[in-house]
Structures are given as structure tokens and as C-alpha cells.
């Protein structure tokens, strides 16, 4: 779809009402859905709607969308995005209704014109908030169980106008009963933030392999470290020459990780204290 067609498609949503949801402004998109500023039951909120073509053709995408909803609706923490509800209208993709934030951390860092891009006081506040949110997810107890986010990145950290941070987008999240997730999906998130153990050994020789990997909540702490570095240096920490036109070359990335033995230190050494 070209840019003109995409805009026409988006324009058709403006002012549209589905059930209790009235679409107002387009905010952005993720892997599974598009995010809008909406009005829902009298309040302004964010509406995340599953992409139409995935709703029609991809049962797995719908399952992940509903898993995210079912996880978020049970959580309650100041540093986790608040879920208000799920709007279902027959014949249309479902819409998750969440609290509306100002911007994501990636945009804030990228658009900042200060030096450093994130002032020390703000950096400490943002990172402390994210750490508290992750610790909450990882230490949930009955009747809930610990949650591993698996896709933590600066795009999945939202800020309000006071730069208060909240973790969002749990579409890749897993509920865990043990310290490790046996036979979990390898490379579940965005590659600059992926811990080494999320790569199966087979990936080293075959970038398209879909073998399983074994890892636990420590992968989120690795991702948190990358986010922290991004906040400090003011850009996403990745070697640009390792990007090719078709995307990430996983073997090069793994080679790069392997060249630093400290990155392969026991994941159990990664913890919040």
C-alpha cells in the first residue's frame, strides 16, 4: 500500500464510531495493531486495534492480542500501563482501551535537542520507574504469576508530560511458573535489545532457524540495560554497519555478542538489587 492509500485508509477512521469507541487521532502502530487517540465511555484514552488483515487471516495474531489484554487487565502498578477494557464489535477487530500517554521513550530521546539528550534527573526518574515496573512483573505472586515481558525497548516505554514512565506492549509477554521458560520462542523482541540466550545455538549457523531457546526473566534485565545505555548516550546502541537492507543479520549480531565474553556471563547475575 502506498503512502497516499495508507493515508486514505487512516482518514476513514477519523470520527468513526465502533461500539463505545470514537476514533480521534492516529498515534502509531506496532507489530499487531494500530494505536489511536479515542474517546471511550466519556473518557479520552488510547485505543489499540488489531490490524484488519491479521484479524481476518491470522489466528495466532488474534491470540497474542487477547493474551496481552488478559495479562494487562490483571495488573495494577504505577509503572505499568493501565488497561480500561476491551471493545468488541461483531465483524471488526477488537480494540484494547488503555490510558493515554504523551509519547514513547524512543521518540523523546530522538527528538530531544538538549545536551545531554536526557538530563540526569530525568534519566534517573525514567529508569527507576521502568525498573520498578519490571520488578513488579517478575515478582508477581498468587493468584497471579510472574510475567516476562520479552520485548522491552524504548518504544515500549511510555512517558506522560512529566516524564513518568510506564511499561506497555505485552504482546510478546509470557506468564512463567518457573525461573526459566522451557522451549521458549527465540528472538521474541527487537534485536538490539535481545539477550544472548534468546538465540538458539542453531541460529549461529542459520539465521532463519526457528529452534527453541531456554531463558527466563533475566532477558528483560538485559533489555533494560540496553534501554539505560540508550538513555545515557542519547541514541539506540547498535552498530549501523551490521544492518543490511533486508534487516538484521543475526549471525553478525551473534558474532558481535560473542566477541564480548562479559555479555555471556551467567544470566543469573542479572538482577535488580
Amino acid at each position: 500500500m502506498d503512502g497516499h492509500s495508507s493515508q486514505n485508509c487512516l482518514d476513514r477512521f477519523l470520527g468513526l464510531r465502533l461500539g463505545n469507541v470514537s476514533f480521534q487521532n492516529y498515534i502509531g502502530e506496532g507489530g499487531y495493531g494500530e494505536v489511536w487517540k479515542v474517546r471511550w465511555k466519556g473518557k479520552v484514552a488510547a485505543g489499540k486495534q488489531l490490524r484488519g488483515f491479521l484479524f481476518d487471516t491470522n489466528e495466532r495474531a488474534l491470540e497474542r492480542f487477547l493474551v496481552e489484554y488478559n495479562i494487562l487487565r490483571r495488573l495494577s502498578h504505577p509503572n505499568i500501563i493501565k488497561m480500561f477494557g476491551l471493545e468488541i464489535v461483531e465483524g471488526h477487530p477488537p480494540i484494547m482501551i488503555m490510558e493515554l500517554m504523551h509519547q514513547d521513550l524512543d521518540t523523546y530521546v530522538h527528538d530531544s535537542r538538549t545536551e545531554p539528550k536526557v538530563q540526569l534527573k530525568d534519566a534517573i526518574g525514567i529508569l527507576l520507574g521502568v525498573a520498578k515496573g519490571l520488578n513488579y512483573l517478575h515478582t508477581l505472586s498468587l493468584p497471579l504469576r510472574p510475567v516476562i515481558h520479552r520485548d522491552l525497548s524504548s518504544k515500549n516505554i511510555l512517558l506522560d508530560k512529566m516524564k513518568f514512565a510506564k511499561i506497555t506492549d505485552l504482546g510478546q509477554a509470557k506468564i512463567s511458573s518457573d525461573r526459566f521458560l522451557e522451549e521458549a520462542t527465540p528472538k521474541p523482541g527487537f534485536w538490539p535489545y535481545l539477550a544472548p540466550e534468546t538465540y538458539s545455538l542453531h541460529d549461529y549457523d542459520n539465521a532463519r532457524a526457528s529452534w527453541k531457546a531456554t531463558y527466563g526473566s533475566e532477558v528483560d534485565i538485559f533489555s533494560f540495560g540496553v534501554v539505560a545505555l540508550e538513555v545515557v548516550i542519547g541514541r539506540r546502541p547498535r552498530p549501523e554497519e551490521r544492518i543490511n537492507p533486508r534487516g538484521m543479520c543475526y549471525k553478525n549480531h551473534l558474532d558481535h555478542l560473542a566477541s564480548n565474553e562479559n555479555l555471556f556471563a551467567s544470566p543469573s547475575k542479572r538482577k535488580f538489587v
Side-chain angles (χ1 to χ4, degrees):
M1 181 181 293
D2 60 32
H4 183 69
S5 298
S6 293
Q7 188 59 52
N8 286 342
C9 182
L10 295 176
D11 288 344
R12 286 200 296 271
F13 277 89
L14 295 177
L16 177 67
R17 186 178 185 88
L18 289 177
N20 294 305
V21 179
S22 176
F23 291 83
Q24 296 186 343
N25 301 103
Y26 177 73
I27 296 175
E29 61 185 35
Y32 291 119
E34 296 173 337
V35 182
W36 293 78
K37 179 181 177 181
V38 302
R39 182 167 288 277
W40 180 76
K41 295 184 177 180
K43 70 171 64 176
V44 175
K48 181 177 180 180
Q49 184 176 41
L50 182 66
R51 293 172 184 270
F53 73 91
L54 292 176
F55 176 68
D56 293 331
T57 63
N58 192 321
E59 190 173 313
R60 172 65 175 168
L62 177 59
E63 177 185 328
R64 292 309 311 167
F65 189 87
L66 295 178
V67 164
E68 178 179 10
Y69 166 71
N70 280 313
I71 291 176
L72 275 174
R73 73 185 181 89
R74 291 178 168 89
L75 304 181
S76 179
H77 189 274
N79 297 107
I80 304 293
I81 200 73
K82 185 181 295 183
M83 175 66 65
F84 294 142
L86 182 69
E87 191 75 18
I88 298 178
V89 177
E90 185 176 356
H92 296 274
I95 309 169
M96 281 189 282
I97 310 298
M98 300 171 283
E99 63 179 316
L100 181 67
M101 300 291 281
H102 179 57
Q103 63 183 167
D104 61 54
L105 179 59
D106 178 75
T107 300
Y108 171 63
V109 173
H110 181 270
D111 290 351
S112 174
R113 295 295 179 263
T114 64
E115 184 60 42
K117 284 203 163 190
V118 183
Q119 299 300 308
L120 179 60
K121 180 181 178 181
D122 294 331
I124 292 173
I126 290 168
L127 295 174
L128 184 59
V130 176
K132 288 179 178 178
L134 277 184
N135 187 61
Y136 167 77
L137 292 177
H138 293 170
T139 58
L140 284 166
S141 56
L142 293 175
L144 303 175
R145 290 191 294 170
V147 174
I148 303 176
H149 189 286
R150 303 201 307 160
D151 192 20
L152 187 71
S153 70
S154 58
K155 282 187 172 296
N156 292 336
I157 297 167
L158 300 181
L159 307 176
D160 66 13
K161 291 184 178 181
M162 300 301 293
K163 304 183 185 68
F164 188 85
K166 301 199 178 198
I167 296 171
T168 189
D169 201 341
L170 274 70
Q172 295 289 347
K174 284 282 190 180
I175 297 175
S176 174
S177 57
D178 300 307
R179 182 171 169 271
F180 287 102
L181 285 175
E182 297 294 335
E183 295 191 342
T185 304
K187 306 185 297 289
F190 184 32
W191 74 264
Y193 304 89
L194 292 177
E197 63 266 30
T198 62
Y199 290 80
S200 69
L201 292 177
H202 197 60
D203 283 321
Y204 195 82
D205 299 313
N206 182 358
R208 296 186 178 181
S210 59
W211 287 27
K212 300 294 183 180
T214 302
Y215 51 83
S217 60
E218 296 84 2
V219 299
D220 286 346
I221 300 177
F222 182 96
S223 301
F224 172 80
V226 178
V227 170
L229 181 58
E230 181 175 356
V231 168
V232 169
I233 66 177
R235 61 177 175 81
R236 188 175 297 146
R238 65 181 184 184
E240 297 293 343
E241 67 275 8
R242 296 184 186 275
I243 301 295
N244 61 44
R246 295 183 179 179
M248 170 60 194
C249 175
Y250 288 105
K251 186 176 187 301
N252 283 350
H253 181 46
L254 205 56
D255 286 340
H256 175 62
L257 291 175
S259 68
N260 187 340
E261 62 181 13
N262 290 329
L263 291 178
F264 282 100
S266 171
S268 65
K269 295 181 180 179
R270 298 187 213 127
K271 57 185 178 180
F272 294 118
V273 294

